[in-house]
Amino acid sequence: MKTAKRHLIIVGFGPVAGYKYSRSIRAAMDRGDLDSYSIVDLQSQKETVLERVQGLPAQPKDIYFIPDPSNTVGSWADTSDFDAICKSIGVNYDGLKVLVSTEPKAHEAYLKYCVNNDIDSLVTKPIILPMLDGKFDPSSLLSSMSELVNQAAKGKAKHAVLCLGRYHPVYEQMMRQPIQERMNELGTPITSFHLRTSSAVWNLAEEFQSREDHPYKYGYGMLMHGGYHYVDVLCQFLLMNTSIYPNDEFSLEFTSYAAFPHDQSLRIPEKVNQRLEGYSPERSILAKNAFGETDIVSVFCLRSKTTGQVLTLGSLSLEQTTPGMRSWAPFPVVPYNINGRLHCTDVEVQLSTVFSMNCRVVKIPVDDKAGPTDLRGKNFARVIARSNALLMGTNEFYSENTIERPYGNSFSYSAETAVFDEWLAGIPTKSDLASHMTTTAVLQKLAESVHKSGQPMTLDFPFKRVESPAEAAIPCVPGISHIPTSVK
């Protein structure tokens, strides 16, 4: 039997690409799921990309450099050069796959191309990032996403999103799945949910203006940088309530507060800035601009639209002004994590008066640090469960589990790798594009609330948690949490 020849095109070969994707590509080629891959990037990135591919476990078949967009103030919508490349490559293969990992404002153009041409696509977060007059415009997030999902449903291609929550060893396997089992057993909804993530992104004033990677200057910040992952985790838990109240409709009410780069001079004392090695006073000058947020905190309520009764109370804190490893200015020449981030996330979930779980996931610098700009870190997590043992008929009021991951195999890395591996293999994934509609709806409202500090906002929450083909294939065994082979 002839083996189908598949070719992967990576659009945007940034610092994460070599670190996160190279091992999966090599494994897919060894399995026979992939014949080869190519890279497409901007002409301005030629020197950087050519240096970046050195030493990868699998070398690209070809590298294409296309002109930088002339329209730098809006979403880049010209895919004519990319179309020519795809047609040139496609004549030699039975099928193409496209990984979209460009600067987020270019995501939508490439996704539309893949959807319209029925080509398998995988996109990094955030899925799309609409722009208007050179600034992030959240008002069209949901409508643009709906168009993509509806069009994709007409074709046969598989479209997925590379996010960390759907296969995360802690959030998904040690928390969400066991909690769903308790909900099914007791008929008890989630009555409170609290998530706080600290990402330790410390930019100096001048860096807010100069950075093209994670650029606040285009009007978006924490939500559309790393925040998407955690909004998705929130939605996956809230949607579990539909298993208890499948015929009810709910509204999500929330109020948000945000901090911005122009708040930083008040929040980070100059004495702290001056401790950075190589710091200079001119780096404290921040030009007036509509920058994206650095931190956002929201409180919310999930309420029945029929009775007005409150089902779930909670909070979501996405913060960057938190302790990290940075002790230098300017940024060091390192391939990834130039801010020296120290990650810490706390999640707490309550099931009424009978059961509760909380976790802390933290990144810790390796013990054998080579110097202050050695940014390697290992992951550690602790998960605690509290239950009314007498009512539940169990022996434990309190239990605790810990898990540690070494550098190079972090929780987020293995979770995203699981999505990537299944997509490369043509296997249905729990992170298909359509399953991110609820996350997109909540994300849009949160993004709109960023500049409406303290103002209540409401979102109809009629979305259902649709069991994906990947989940439908998992046998339901009471007390046993499924761990996909690719995540073990």
Side-chain angles (χ1 to χ4, degrees):
M1 180 181 295
K2 179 185 175 183
T3 302
K5 294 179 67 177
R6 303 274 179 190
H7 186 85
L8 170 68
I9 302 176
I10 302 177
V11 191
F13 200 76
V16 177
Y19 165 70
K20 284 192 175 181
Y21 311 143
S22 58
R23 284 176 276 180
S24 288
I25 292 172
R26 177 72 267 173
M29 293 171 68
D30 291 342
R31 292 193 307 266
D33 292 331
L34 195 65
D35 183 74
S36 55
Y37 79 102
S38 296
I39 293 170
V40 177
D41 214 313
L42 300 176
Q43 190 68 41
S44 62
Q45 299 301 309
K46 183 175 182 178
E47 183 177 336
T48 302
V49 170
L50 291 177
E51 181 179 346
R52 195 166 280 152
V53 299
Q54 298 300 315
L56 292 181
Q59 287 294 303
K61 187 176 187 297
D62 292 294
I63 304 178
Y64 301 86
F65 296 100
I66 60 179
D68 285 49
S70 57
N71 177 18
T72 59
V73 298
S75 298
W76 185 26
D78 182 8
T79 55
S80 56
D81 291 302
F82 184 67
D83 176 56
I85 292 170
C86 286
K87 288 178 178 176
S88 174
I89 295 175
V91 296
N92 298 313
Y93 296 92
D94 299 314
L96 295 178
K97 289 177 173 288
V98 174
L99 167 62
V100 182
S101 59
T102 63
E103 158 61 27
K105 64 182 179 179
H107 282 185
E108 188 173 355
Y110 287 106
L111 278 179
K112 279 185 177 179
Y113 179 88
C114 292
V115 167
N116 291 336
N117 289 278
D118 210 24
I119 298 173
D120 287 2
S121 74
L122 178 66
V123 63
T124 58
K125 54 77 187 168
I127 301 171
I128 55 175
L129 199 149
M131 304 287 286
L132 180 65
D133 298 328
K135 297 294 182 182
F136 172 46
D137 175 29
S139 65
S140 61
L141 261 174
L142 186 58
S143 59
S144 297
M145 180 69 169
S146 297
E147 289 180 16
L148 285 170
V149 169
N150 291 335
Q151 183 64 27
K154 300 175 183 178
K156 296 182 179 179
K158 294 181 174 62
H159 304 281
V161 180
L162 199 64
C163 70
L164 65 81
R166 306 294 178 96
Y167 290 95
H168 198 280
V170 181
Y171 310 139
E172 171 65 14
Q173 295 162 16
M174 297 180 72
M175 290 196 69
R176 198 198 67 79
Q177 291 180 9
I179 287 172
Q180 182 69 74
E181 292 176 4
R182 304 301 187 281
M183 293 174 69
N184 294 344
E185 175 189 350
L186 301 167
T188 308
I190 292 176
T191 50
S192 71
F193 179 92
H194 301 278
L195 187 154
R196 179 178 185 265
T197 190
S198 307
S199 58
V201 175
W202 179 5
N203 286 316
L204 300 179
E206 182 272 339
E207 290 158 359
F208 284 116
Q209 303 171 72
S210 62
R211 292 192 70 173
E212 289 295 337
D213 61 321
H214 292 83
Y216 294 80
K217 62 185 177 182
Y218 297 124
Y220 62 95
M222 178 60 183
L223 267 175
M224 305 304 285
H225 288 162
Y228 184 91
H229 290 305
Y230 302 101
V231 176
D232 186 57
V233 171
L234 162 70
C235 291
Q236 293 307 298
F237 276 90
L238 290 184
L239 285 169
M240 291 163 67
N241 279 328
T242 60
S243 66
I244 307 299
Y245 299 104
N247 300 316
D248 288 39
E249 290 190 352
F250 296 90
S251 62
L252 185 64
E253 306 167 10
F254 56 89
T255 302
S256 302
Y257 298 89
F260 297 85
H262 66 255
D263 297 313
Q264 192 157 295
S265 60
L266 184 68
R267 306 183 77 211
I268 303 178
E270 192 61 16
K271 283 187 177 181
V272 174
N273 286 328
Q274 291 169 356
R275 288 175 177 261
L276 295 179
E277 181 180 354
Y279 175 76
S280 55
E282 57 267 24
R283 286 182 168 269
S284 297
I285 301 172
L286 182 66
K288 290 184 179 180
N289 204 338
F291 293 103
E293 76 285 350
T294 58
D295 307 75
I296 177 170
V297 176
S298 294
V299 292
F300 66 83
C301 164
L302 190 64
R303 187 189 301 273
S304 169
K305 293 175 65 176
T306 304
T307 66
Q309 292 174 287
V310 171
L311 180 64
T312 308
L313 296 174
S315 61
L316 179 69
S317 298
L318 310 173
E319 302 182 47
Q320 295 186 341
T321 313
T322 59
M325 287 191 280
R326 185 175 188 181
S327 61
W328 51 81
F331 289 141
V333 181
V334 293
Y336 182 56
N337 188 18
I338 58 178
N339 274 290
R341 290 174 289 163
L342 275 180
H343 172 86
C344 181
T345 298
D346 295 281
V347 180
E348 172 94 15
V349 185
Q350 309 281 350
L351 300 185
S352 188
T353 59
V354 289
F355 188 74
S356 170
M357 291 188 85
N358 68 68
C359 76
R360 165 162 288 187
V361 178
V362 63
K363 177 183 175 183
I364 306 166
V366 295
D367 297 329
D368 57 342
K369 278 174 61 70
T373 58
D374 182 351
L375 305 179
R376 292 175 298 155
K378 57 185 178 181
N379 277 181
F380 176 82
R382 176 176 286 112
V383 179
I384 294 172
R386 292 176 291 124
S387 50
N388 189 322
L390 297 179
L391 291 180
M392 294 185 64
T394 62
N395 296 323
E396 295 182 312
F397 285 97
Y398 175 93
S399 64
E400 183 176 310
N401 289 299
T402 61
I403 179 174
E404 186 173 311
R405 286 285 184 85
Y407 172 75
N409 188 31
S410 67
F411 301 134
S412 60
Y413 171 77
S414 65
E416 292 182 0
T417 297
V419 179
F420 195 24
D421 287 350
E422 291 183 345
W423 177 78
L424 283 174
I427 299 172
T429 171
K430 290 196 292 184
S431 190
D432 62 280
L433 185 68
S435 70
H436 285 262
M437 284 294 294
T438 299
T439 303
T440 302
V442 174
L443 185 71
Q444 175 172 319
K445 283 295 184 181
L446 284 170
E448 291 172 348
S449 76
V450 163
H451 296 284
K452 298 179 179 179
S453 180
Q455 297 184 32
M457 303 195 75
T458 301
L459 166 70
D460 285 344
F461 205 74
F463 303 95
K464 305 297 182 184
R465 189 176 191 277
V466 180
E467 186 180 64
S468 69
E471 291 176 296
I474 299 173
C476 182
V477 181
I480 302 296
S481 296
H482 170 71
I483 302 178
T485 302
S486 55
V487 184
K488 285 184 179 178

